[in-house]
């Protein structure tokens, strides 16, 4: 009786245990519903309507596969019905082919990254379009990633190199148009790499040969050119597919385990290497439509496993021995359209239902109806040799001409350098030899002159926008001689005036008194660097005026910066509105914070070296007529002296920000002010740090959080921001990167948008 009771208890336990172990966390169910919305409700996901309680029980099909383990989603495969490929794609949404213009691939990847235990992700033919964002690496548990047959373009994100567990990477049938990444060898566990049917260019990166675990390598139908390196180090490679590229070297050394080699429709030259007869595992070899010469190695035909051999449309010559031996499983041979002479080997000439042989377009002695005359092939060979000799002569002449031109250009450049550069001319003064001039911010003149943009500004070509030089007379006229009526305020970096230019455009003029003497040349380098910073969330620097006080002096004591005028006040003013009608709702505050975070992330990473101390505070965040955030007074540390203490005058902020408090820390207090409002934040840094503990309870939140925030936010969205705020103002060693800050804010905004949509 006791034994039967035990088994009954065991049965009941198992009965209830099974659904519990597969019951998906509600948050991940919400992620799936959010994904369905972002993918614009594909037919393949309609089945989720019937299994919304537990999507892990939805039936698997070629269109949708979902697998779960331990309360988490581990496998997601979605197959759409969008066109596999279109003839032309210009990077924008295409009706009925891509997802709509409102689709955001950045938001999609942000949502996917919430599935932290996902090991298999396949999103195929769903019309996904845009550049694949770097944050795809947040799916750190992935072992398989397949985004084939979509509309992804640009470069393959370098951060994928950090996904150490990745074993399969498939991006076929997209529009990637940068070079093949040279960091792929960082993926030491990668066994399957397929980038077929894109627009990848440049040379074949030798680093691929360092992926020791690779078994399949497919880069066909791209624009890869140059030399193909020896690949014998890939000792596990079974499939090599490089068809339809522009590779133009001789055939390389290949690894012996290869089973399939597809190298057709390139420009490979030279002879087929003799070591190819060592590829004893080879079953399928296609070298057609290249420029291969010489007589094919006879052992190719008798490899023990070869079943398909295509050598058509090359420049192969000579004759094959009559008693050539063919492998027992050789079922297809194509040696057509070459320059072969003599007879056809008996194993290729015997009628057989088990073997197809194509040999037309040669100069063979069999089937004369489909062969050229022997003299034709000899003449072609002769012309080919003459052409090679002629090409070598032309090449020598071209190289000689280039050398002469380079010598002449060198003399010309040297003369120009001596005449102008060494004179050290300036637009305002003829300067003596420049002395080293390093600022406290760490930007030397050399660094300033050689700073490199790596941002979207470079890709769009906007870094070349001119920085206008204003005269002091123009600025006096624009501001009515800096009249008090145009005065907008004064901060630690100088006074700010509103002006109106001759063309009617309004500007903001910042007057900086320089505590350190700069040479005109050095200051211009710094101003030029600032003027090149272009981002939708930065107030644009239009120009500057260097004021020497009318003295013929090589040092400057005052400079005016002319910015675009942003008409709708600053973030702090909007936060001070305590009426629900005028105050910023939580979703609007998140939009402003995300804009500022994007601006700061750009300043940190958009140039080498980055701008790391940017005086972040709510007064420096301006809002335009559409309430789009724009950060002002950024990057001034490269012009002004390092400021040990920034205490805004008349701005109500009582805490002090020293240079040791980086942008992440300062942004943490902006987040705090967005949460609690200026009236609370005005009580000072120490008070706010002590009050952080209050955010942990509902009562504490009701006491300290701005009422407008409490009435317009979802608790989950609010909790995400409180968490990242706490991390920002934590000790320096444990602060997050700005990329992490931005990701959390975007996640909070998505959660809030989902809640707002459900309420509507």
């Amino acid at each position: 009786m006791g034994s039967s009771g035990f088994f009954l208890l065991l049965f009941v336990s198992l009965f209830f245990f099974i659904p519990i172990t597969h019951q998906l966390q509600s948050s991940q169910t919400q992620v799936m519903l959010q994904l369905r919305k972002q993918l614009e409700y594909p037919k393949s996901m309609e089945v989720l309507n019937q299994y919304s309680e537990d999507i892990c029980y939805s039936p698997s099909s070629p269109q949708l596969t979902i697998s779960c383990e331990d309360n988490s989603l581990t496998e997601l495969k979605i197959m759409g019905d969008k066109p596999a490929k279109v003839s032309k794609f210009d990077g924008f949404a295409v009706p009925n082919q891509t997802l709509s213009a409102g689709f955001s691939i950045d938001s999609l990847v942000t949502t996917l990254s919430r599935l932290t235990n996902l090991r298999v992700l396949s999103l195929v033919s769903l019309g996904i379009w845009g550049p694949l964002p770097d944050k795809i690496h947040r799916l750190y548990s992935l072992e398989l990633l397949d985004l084939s047959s979509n509309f992804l373009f640009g470069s393959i994100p370098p951060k994928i190199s950090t996904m150490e567990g990745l074993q399969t990477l498939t991006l076929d049938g997209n529009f990637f148009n940068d070079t093949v990444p040279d960091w792929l060898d960082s993926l030491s566990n990668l066994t399957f790499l397929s980038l077929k049917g894109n627009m990848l260019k440049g040379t074949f990166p030798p680093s691929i040969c360092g992926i020791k675990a690779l078994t399949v390598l497919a880069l066909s139908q791209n624009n890869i050119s140059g030399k193909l390196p020896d690949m014998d180090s890939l000792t596990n490679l079974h499939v090599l597919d490089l068809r339809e590229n522009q590779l133009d070297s001789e055939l390389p050394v290949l690894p012996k385990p290869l089973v399939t080699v597809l190298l057709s429709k390139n420009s490979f030259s030279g002879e087929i290497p003799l070591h190819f007869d060592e590829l004893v595992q080879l079953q399928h070899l296609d070298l057609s439509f290249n420029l291969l010469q010489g007589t094919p190695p006879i052992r190719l035909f008798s490899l023990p496993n070869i079943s398909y051999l295509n050598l058509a449309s090359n420049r192969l010559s000579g004759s094959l021995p009559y008693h050539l031996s063919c492998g027992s499983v050789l079922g297809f041979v194509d040696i057509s359209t070459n320059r072969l002479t003599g007879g056809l080997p008996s194993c290729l000439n015997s009628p057989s239902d088990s073997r197809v042989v194509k040999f037309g377009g040669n100069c063979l002695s069999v089937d004369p109806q489909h062969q050229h005359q022997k003299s034709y092939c000899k003449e072609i060979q002769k012309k080919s040799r003459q052409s090679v000799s002629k090409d070598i002569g032309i090449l020598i002449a071209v190289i000689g001409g280039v050398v002469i031109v380079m010598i002449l250009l060198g003399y010309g450049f040297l003369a120009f350098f001596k005449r102008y550069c060494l004179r050290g001319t300036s637009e305002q003064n003829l300067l003596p030899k420049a002395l080293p001039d390093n600022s406290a911010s760490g930007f030397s003149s050399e660094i300033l002159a050689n700073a490199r943009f790596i941002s979207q500004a470079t890709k769009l070509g906007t870094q070349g926008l001119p920085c206008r030089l204003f005269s002091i007379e123009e600025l006096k006229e624009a501001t009515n001689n800096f009249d008090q009526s145009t005065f907008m305020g004064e901060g630690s970096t100088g006074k700010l005036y509103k002006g109106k230019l001759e063309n009617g455009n309004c500007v903001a003029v910042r007057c900086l008194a320089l505590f350190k003497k700069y040479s005109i040349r050095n200051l211009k380098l710094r101003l030029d660097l600032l003027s090149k910073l272009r981002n939708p969330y930065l107030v644009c620097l239009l120009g500057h005026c260097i004021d020497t006080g009318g003295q013929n002096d090589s040092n400057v004591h005052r400079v005016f910066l002319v910015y675009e005028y942003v008409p709708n006040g600053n973030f702090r003013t909007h936060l001070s509105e305590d009426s629900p009608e005028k105050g910023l709702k939580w979703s609007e505050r998140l939009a402003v914070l995300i804009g500022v975070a994007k601006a700061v992330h750009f300043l940190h990473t958009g140039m080498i070296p980055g701008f790391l101390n940017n005086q972040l505070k709510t007064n420096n965040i301006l809002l335009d007529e559409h309430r789009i955030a724009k950060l002002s007074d950024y990057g001034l540390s490269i012009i002004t002296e390092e400021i040990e203490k920034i205490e805004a005058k008349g701005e109500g902020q009582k805490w002090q920000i020293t240079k040791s408090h980086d942008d992440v820390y300062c942004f943490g207090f902006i987040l705090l002010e967005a949460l609690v409002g200026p009236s609370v934040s005005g009580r000072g840094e120490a008070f706010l740090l002590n009050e952080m503990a209050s955010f942990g309870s509902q009562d504490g939140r009701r006491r300290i959080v701005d009422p407008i925030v409490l009435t317009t936010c979802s608790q989950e969205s609010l909790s995400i921001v409180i968490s990242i705020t706490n991390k920002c103002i934590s000790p320096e060693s444990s602060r997050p990167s700005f990329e992490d800050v931005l990701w959390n804010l975007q996640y909070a905004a998505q959660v809030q948008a989902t809640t707002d949509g459900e309420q509507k």
Side-chain angles (χ1 to χ4, degrees):
M1 188 70 176
S3 175
S4 61
F6 169 78
F7 284 112
L8 178 62
L9 179 62
L10 179 62
F11 175 78
V12 172
S13 299
L14 289 174
F15 182 83
F16 286 104
F17 178 75
I18 292 171
I20 291 173
T21 56
H22 292 282
Q23 183 72 36
L24 196 63
Q25 297 172 8
S26 60
S27 61
Q28 298 204 3
T29 301
Q30 289 299 317
V31 170
M32 287 299 300
L33 297 178
Q34 181 73 11
L35 284 175
R36 183 177 62 169
K37 179 180 178 182
Q38 290 173 331
L39 294 172
E40 300 175 5
Y41 301 97
K43 290 182 179 179
S44 51
M45 298 186 76
E46 289 178 353
V47 68
L48 297 185
N49 295 329
Q50 305 169 35
Y51 295 89
S52 57
E53 292 298 320
D54 190 355
I55 59 175
C56 293
Y57 284 104
S58 59
S60 295
S61 69
Q63 286 70 41
L64 180 67
T65 299
I66 297 174
S67 299
C68 308
E69 289 180 19
D70 298 328
N71 304 330
S72 294
L73 198 149
T74 58
E75 179 179 1
L76 175 61
K77 294 183 178 180
I78 307 174
M79 171 79 76
D81 56 2
K82 299 291 185 183
K85 193 93 175 189
V86 295
S87 58
K88 185 179 180 182
F89 175 60
D90 57 8
F92 297 96
V94 181
N96 302 319
Q97 295 178 343
T98 68
L99 296 176
S100 68
F103 168 76
S104 168
I105 189 170
D106 194 76
S107 297
L108 177 70
V109 174
T110 299
T111 301
L112 285 167
S113 61
R114 294 169 61 189
L115 303 173
T116 54
N117 293 313
L118 196 63
R119 296 200 298 268
V120 175
L121 175 63
S122 176
L123 303 175
V124 177
S125 298
L126 288 165
I128 298 170
W129 66 276
L132 186 61
D134 238 355
K135 64 177 66 176
I136 190 72
H137 81 283
R138 293 183 183 276
L139 292 161
Y140 51 83
S141 298
L142 276 188
E143 297 173 5
L144 181 149
L145 176 61
D146 185 355
L147 300 175
S148 301
S149 302
N150 284 295
F151 294 80
L152 303 173
F153 60 87
S155 59
I156 298 172
K159 283 290 185 69
I160 289 181
S161 64
T162 65
M163 302 170 70
E164 297 178 354
L166 202 61
Q167 298 174 22
T168 297
L169 177 61
T170 307
L171 302 173
D172 299 344
N174 281 286
F175 292 84
F176 289 108
N177 54 358
D178 204 343
T179 55
V180 181
D182 60 359
W183 42 257
L184 289 165
D185 56 334
S186 300
L187 303 173
S188 57
N189 293 307
L190 196 66
T191 61
F192 189 104
L193 174 62
S194 186
L195 309 176
K196 297 185 295 186
N198 282 282
M199 302 167 68
L200 295 167
K201 58 192 176 185
T203 58
F204 184 97
S207 56
I208 288 181
C209 299
I211 314 175
K212 304 299 183 183
L214 204 60
T215 60
V216 175
L217 174 59
L219 304 177
S220 59
Q221 297 173 314
N222 281 287
N223 299 310
I224 304 168
S225 58
K227 180 182 179 181
L228 187 62
D230 288 342
M231 310 180 78
D232 51 330
S233 60
L234 297 174
T235 53
N236 291 298
L237 194 65
H238 292 157
V239 176
L240 176 64
D241 183 2
L242 300 176
R243 293 170 294 169
E244 298 181 47
N245 279 288
Q246 299 167 20
L247 297 163
D248 57 6
S249 64
E250 294 187 351
L251 292 173
V253 178
L254 297 179
K256 293 180 180 179
L258 274 170
V259 175
T260 299
V261 176
L262 308 175
L263 301 177
S264 61
K265 295 186 179 178
N266 281 280
S267 297
F268 287 112
S269 58
E271 297 187 357
I272 300 174
L274 291 176
H275 63 76
F276 269 43
D277 60 19
E278 299 175 4
L279 304 177
V280 294
Q281 304 297 325
L282 197 61
Q283 298 177 14
H284 195 123
L285 176 62
D286 189 350
L287 301 176
S288 60
F289 294 94
N290 280 288
L291 305 173
L292 298 171
Q293 300 175 347
T295 305
I298 59 174
R299 288 195 59 185
L300 276 183
F301 297 85
S302 59
L303 288 172
N305 294 292
I306 192 77
S307 62
Y308 180 100
L309 179 60
N310 193 343
L311 307 177
S313 299
N314 279 283
R315 298 175 179 178
L316 300 173
S317 59
S319 59
L320 298 174
Y322 181 75
H323 295 294
L324 178 144
S325 175
C326 292
S328 60
V329 294
L330 185 60
F332 180 91
V333 179
D334 191 349
I335 55 174
S336 61
T337 318
N338 279 287
R339 301 165 188 177
L340 297 171
T341 58
L344 192 66
S346 58
C347 71
L348 299 179
N349 199 20
S350 304
S352 172
D353 294 334
S354 60
R355 182 173 299 155
V356 174
V357 180
K358 296 185 176 183
F359 53 87
N362 284 284
C363 297
L364 298 170
S365 58
V366 297
D367 191 21
Q369 184 179 352
H370 299 99
Q371 302 293 320
H372 297 290
Q373 294 294 323
K374 188 175 181 179
S375 58
Y376 169 85
C377 289
K378 289 184 177 180
E379 185 66 24
I380 290 291
Q381 286 290 96
K382 182 179 178 182
K383 288 182 179 179
S384 178
R385 285 192 291 268
Q386 291 174 346
S387 176
V388 170
S389 300
K390 183 180 178 182
D391 289 345
I392 292 174
I394 293 174
L395 181 62
I396 292 173
V398 169
I399 292 174
V402 169
V403 170
I404 293 172
V405 170
M406 292 297 290
I407 292 172
L408 293 175
L409 286 174
Y411 278 119
F413 176 78
L414 188 61
F416 175 83
F417 184 77
K418 287 180 178 179
R419 183 174 180 181
Y420 293 104
C421 298
L422 295 182
R423 287 170 59 187
T425 56
S426 159
E427 290 183 31
Q428 298 191 18
N429 300 83
L430 188 64
L431 300 178
K433 183 177 179 181
L435 296 173
D437 188 4
N438 296 325
S439 75
S441 60
F443 290 86
S444 67
S445 299
E446 183 180 0
I447 289 177
L448 290 165
N450 296 288
R452 294 189 293 115
F453 274 84
I454 58 172
S455 66
Q456 66 263 36
T458 302
K459 295 173 185 174
L460 297 174
T462 57
Q463 78 277 20
L465 293 175
C467 182
R468 181 180 168 187
L469 294 173
F470 289 88
S471 66
I472 188 65
E473 289 76 20
E474 282 182 282
L475 297 186
K476 285 182 177 180
E477 183 178 347
T479 59
N480 195 18
N481 200 21
F482 297 100
D483 188 78
Q484 187 65 26
S485 62
T486 64
F487 180 69
M488 297 172 65
E490 182 176 4
S492 57
T493 53
K495 296 181 178 180
L496 187 68
Y497 297 87
K498 180 180 178 181
K500 193 170 186 179
L501 302 179
E502 262 187 341
N503 60 10
N505 289 340
C506 290
V507 293
V509 182
R510 171 76 74 185
C511 176
L512 297 178
L514 301 181
F515 300 105
K516 177 178 179 176
K517 291 184 179 181
Y518 290 107
S519 66
I520 291 177
R521 175 179 177 275
N522 188 282
L523 182 60
K524 282 187 174 180
L525 284 172
R526 295 163 187 271
L527 292 170
D528 184 56
L529 192 60
L530 272 181
S531 71
K532 290 178 178 178
L533 295 173
R534 291 289 188 269
N535 186 275
Y537 301 103
L538 293 177
V539 177
C540 181
L541 177 62
L542 302 175
H544 62 263
C545 170
I546 297 175
D547 182 22
T548 60
Q551 302 177 9
N552 186 20
D553 186 3
S554 62
N555 288 322
V556 182
H557 301 273
R558 191 169 64 157
V559 65
F560 295 90
L561 301 181
V562 183
Y563 292 97
E564 65 171 316
Y565 177 70
V566 183
N568 205 17
N570 61 47
F571 190 30
R572 184 179 177 82
T573 303
H574 284 268
L575 291 175
S576 300
E577 295 284 357
D578 53 8
S579 67
E581 295 79 17
K582 295 182 179 179
L584 292 174
K585 296 186 299 183
W586 179 239
S587 58
E588 294 170 328
R589 298 185 191 205
L590 283 174
V592 171
L593 295 170
I594 288 170
V596 177
K598 287 181 177 179
V600 181
H601 185 251
F602 167 79
L603 291 169
H604 285 192
T605 63
M607 176 176 277
I608 299 176
F611 291 79
L612 301 179
N613 295 288
N614 292 287
Q615 301 191 31
L616 301 181
K617 50 189 176 181
T618 51
N619 286 73
N620 287 346
I621 301 168
L622 307 182
L623 303 184
D624 67 10
E625 61 273 19
H626 305 295
R627 286 187 170 178
I628 302 297
K630 287 179 175 287
L631 182 65
S632 67
D633 289 352
Y634 52 87
L636 296 185
S637 60
I638 72 165
I639 299 177
T640 60
E641 190 74 10
E642 281 284 352
I643 300 171
E644 292 290 337
K645 187 183 294 184
I646 298 174
E647 186 166 4
K649 298 181 181 179
E651 296 174 346
Q653 291 169 298
K654 301 299 182 185
W655 63 81
Q656 296 173 347
I657 303 173
T658 68
K659 65 180 181 181
S660 64
H661 286 173
D662 62 11
D663 282 347
V664 174
Y665 183 85
C666 298
F667 191 73
F669 281 96
I670 291 176
L671 293 173
L672 263 178
E673 195 163 344
L675 287 165
V676 303
S679 60
V680 177
S681 66
R683 300 182 191 179
E685 178 179 0
F687 171 80
L688 286 171
L689 291 174
N690 289 331
E691 286 294 318
M692 279 302 297
S694 301
F695 286 118
S697 66
Q698 292 297 329
D699 290 339
R701 291 185 185 185
R702 279 193 290 269
R703 179 171 55 82
I704 192 171
V705 174
D706 190 329
I708 296 178
V709 173
L710 287 175
T711 56
T712 59
C713 76
S714 75
Q715 287 302 310
E716 185 181 358
S717 176
L718 183 63
S719 297
I720 294 167
V721 177
I722 289 173
S723 174
I724 195 64
T725 302
N726 196 35
K727 292 176 182 176
C728 287
I729 61 178
S730 63
E732 187 170 358
S733 60
S734 58
R735 289 175 198 157
S737 67
F738 237 95
E739 183 183 10
D740 289 329
V741 174
L742 177 57
W743 183 87
N744 277 274
L745 290 174
Q746 289 175 324
Y747 176 25
Q750 280 193 11
V751 171
Q752 185 62 45
T754 301
T755 302
D756 291 343
E758 290 172 352
Q759 289 175 351
K760 289 179 182 178

